[in-house]
């Protein structure tokens, strides 16, 4: 079966594409955009099965919860909060200091997670834990705690 990967940088997409093709010799479809128009976000994320966070030095990324909300398996660097949440949620974190074999192993794992319906688990997790209401309450509490600390 064909796998669909959403990646935002053309250079890295070519690397990932070549690794996929050499490794799996399967029918693969890749899409990338430097900027995604608002009216295309829903279509692109719904069509993807694997979201690839390509920045190797990163602390936070909205691509992690966004991909999970759309039911995608997520691959990203084992760095900062991104690495923590990828591992915590059972997605794929790769070590950027290693060679492309590590990335190939990460891609293989992501494909197996797609086949085991991890994307649907991600969607349920994101809806339960990262919904707008819950995040809003957390922000309110954070500001209240800041105000209380200054009394």
């Amino acid at each position: 079966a064909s796998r669909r990967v959403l990646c935002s940088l053309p250079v890295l997409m070519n690397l990932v594409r070549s690794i996929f093709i050499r490794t799996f010799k399967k029918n693969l479809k890749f899409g990338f955009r430097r900027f995604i128009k608002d009216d295309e976000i829903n279509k692109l994320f719904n069509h993807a099965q694997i979201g690839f966070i390509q920045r190797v030095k990163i602390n936070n990324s909205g691509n992690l919860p966004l991909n999970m909300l759309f039911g995608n398996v997520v691959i990203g660097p084992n760095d900062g909060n991104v690495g923590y949440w990828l591992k915590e949620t059972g997605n794929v974190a790769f070590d950027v200091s290693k060679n492309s074999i590590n990335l190939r192993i990460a891609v293989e794992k992501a494909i197996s997670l797609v086949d085991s319906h991890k994307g649907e688990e991600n969607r349920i997790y994101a809806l339960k834990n990262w919904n707008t209401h819950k995040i809003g309450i957390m922000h309110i509490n954070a500001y209240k705690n800041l105000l209380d600390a200054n009394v």
Side-chain angles (χ1 to χ4, degrees):
S2 175
R3 299 290 177 263
R4 295 176 303 278
V5 181
L6 182 61
C7 188
S8 61
L9 291 179
V11 172
L12 194 55
M13 187 193 70
N14 289 334
L15 170 66
V16 173
R17 178 190 291 137
S18 67
I19 290 170
F20 265 86
I21 291 170
R22 279 192 317 243
T23 304
F24 304 107
K25 296 176 179 45
K26 293 183 178 182
N27 181 21
L28 302 170
K29 296 179 183 178
F30 286 80
F32 73 90
R33 302 264 197 225
R34 288 185 191 267
F35 299 100
I36 299 174
K37 295 178 184 175
D38 288 346
D39 60 344
E40 294 178 320
I41 290 174
N42 196 21
K43 178 182 173 187
L44 289 171
F45 280 89
N46 270 319
H47 188 68
Q49 293 173 307
I50 298 171
F52 189 85
I53 300 172
Q54 71 283 346
R55 291 181 60 196
V56 294
K57 290 306 257 174
I58 189 168
N59 188 34
N60 296 304
S61 176
N63 286 321
L64 175 61
L66 186 61
N67 270 289
M68 289 180 64
L69 183 61
F70 277 92
N72 298 327
V73 173
V74 188
I75 302 174
N78 186 15
D79 191 51
N81 289 327
V82 170
Y84 170 82
W85 283 108
L86 286 169
K87 291 184 288 186
E88 182 73 16
T89 58
N91 284 276
V92 185
F94 61 88
D95 186 347
V96 298
S97 66
K98 306 228 175 175
N99 59 25
S100 63
I101 292 172
N102 192 337
L103 182 56
R104 182 178 62 96
I105 292 167
V107 169
E108 289 173 349
K109 184 173 181 186
I111 288 174
S112 71
L113 289 173
V114 168
D115 293 339
S116 68
H117 307 287
K118 177 65 179 163
E120 181 60 19
E121 289 177 32
N122 282 346
R123 189 183 70 73
I124 292 167
Y125 183 92
L127 286 171
K128 179 181 177 191
N129 296 289
W130 295 333
N131 64 66
T132 306
H133 177 76
K134 191 169 191 171
I135 298 299
I137 296 296
M138 291 168 72
H139 275 91
I140 289 169
N141 290 336
Y143 285 115
K144 283 181 180 178
N145 289 337
L146 287 172
L147 289 172
D148 292 343
N150 288 325
V151 174

